[in-house]
Amino acid sequence: MDILGRNATLTLVMSNAINNLKGTVAALFVLVMFSSTCLAQQEDSRDEAELLQNLAQAAPDQATGIDRQLRALWSQSGSASADLLLERGREALDDGDTYAAIEHLTALTDHAPDFAEGWHARASAFFGIERFGMAAADLEHALTLNPNNYEAIYGLGLIFEILGQPEKAFAAYSHALAIHPHYEEVTNAVNRLKAQVEGSAL
């Protein structure tokens, strides 16, 4: 084959290679764009309003995952130092050191007063040492910041029940159940008080 023939063949091979490369790049671009869209959709699924709507309509097996996403979402303060205080407070509660938990969580509510989960977590600590008035005050504060927190609503219902106010407890439990229809503890609480409250209403 002469030089011209070899050059023509080389040109054809290079042209095919370039075309193949262009096709590969185009395919990669489409793949990246598709992945970005999927990621965006996943991020959208972390939207609180959407998650709450999904939770209200979910089957029992689906509700667990949505509940986990909501708890994770509500635990994000947007501040690394606030997140650390929440983590330390929860760890102290898990270890049974309630007073250390209250110290961490008080520092958290002082540092980030608009972070609802800080007040909710401290309410759990106060509840653990039977400071029900302080726990109720923290829960009410948490609910002014995040009125959809069914755990806080349930906690308030427990306090009402302990204090001998079954009608208020039942109303709180029913409200929590309307947000999270598959919350087992709340379902049990509603069933426990239903006969008592309906009987007293007659």
Side-chain angles (χ1 to χ4, degrees):
M1 183 182 292
D2 59 19
I3 294 175
L4 290 175
R6 281 199 295 266
N7 286 343
T9 302
L10 183 59
T11 300
L12 181 61
V13 170
M14 290 181 64
S15 176
N16 288 336
I18 290 170
N19 288 333
N20 288 338
L21 182 59
K22 286 180 179 179
T24 302
V25 169
L28 285 172
F29 178 78
V30 170
L31 180 61
V32 168
M33 291 300 293
F34 177 77
S35 300
S36 299
T37 302
C38 290
L39 286 172
Q41 289 173 347
Q42 289 174 359
E43 290 172 359
D44 289 342
S45 72
R46 291 181 59 79
D47 177 77
E48 181 184 11
E50 182 181 348
L51 286 170
L52 287 165
Q53 182 179 0
N54 292 342
L55 182 63
Q57 301 169 351
D61 58 330
Q62 298 171 322
T64 302
I66 299 170
D67 170 61
R68 185 170 56 248
Q69 289 182 70
L70 279 165
R71 292 179 195 228
L73 187 63
W74 290 336
S75 295
Q76 295 173 3
S77 67
S79 160
S81 56
D83 288 347
L84 180 61
L85 286 168
L86 178 63
E87 182 182 351
R88 287 179 175 174
R90 286 174 168 173
E91 287 175 352
L93 273 177
D94 289 341
D95 292 340
D97 193 347
T98 307
Y99 290 98
I102 290 171
E103 287 183 12
H104 291 307
L105 296 169
T106 298
L108 172 57
T109 55
D110 289 343
H111 174 73
D114 295 330
F115 180 40
E117 192 58 26
W119 298 94
H120 177 215
R122 193 174 71 166
S124 299
F126 283 137
F127 187 92
I129 56 172
E130 299 185 0
R131 301 282 181 86
F132 299 126
M134 299 174 79
D138 275 5
L139 288 172
E140 288 172 352
H141 196 96
L143 288 168
T144 62
L145 297 168
N146 179 10
N148 295 309
N149 188 335
Y150 40 81
E151 282 194 304
I153 299 168
Y154 170 58
L156 203 55
L158 279 176
I159 292 172
F160 287 141
E161 188 173 0
I162 289 168
L163 297 179
Q165 301 177 47
E167 291 83 4
K168 287 186 177 180
F170 185 78
Y173 294 148
S174 298
H175 182 40
L177 200 60
I179 300 171
H180 185 347
H182 302 294
Y183 196 153
E184 184 176 355
E185 289 86 349
V186 180
T187 301
N188 293 338
V190 166
N191 292 335
R192 181 173 65 246
L193 288 184
K194 187 174 183 180
Q196 180 182 349
V197 171
E198 289 179 347
S200 65
L202 295 177

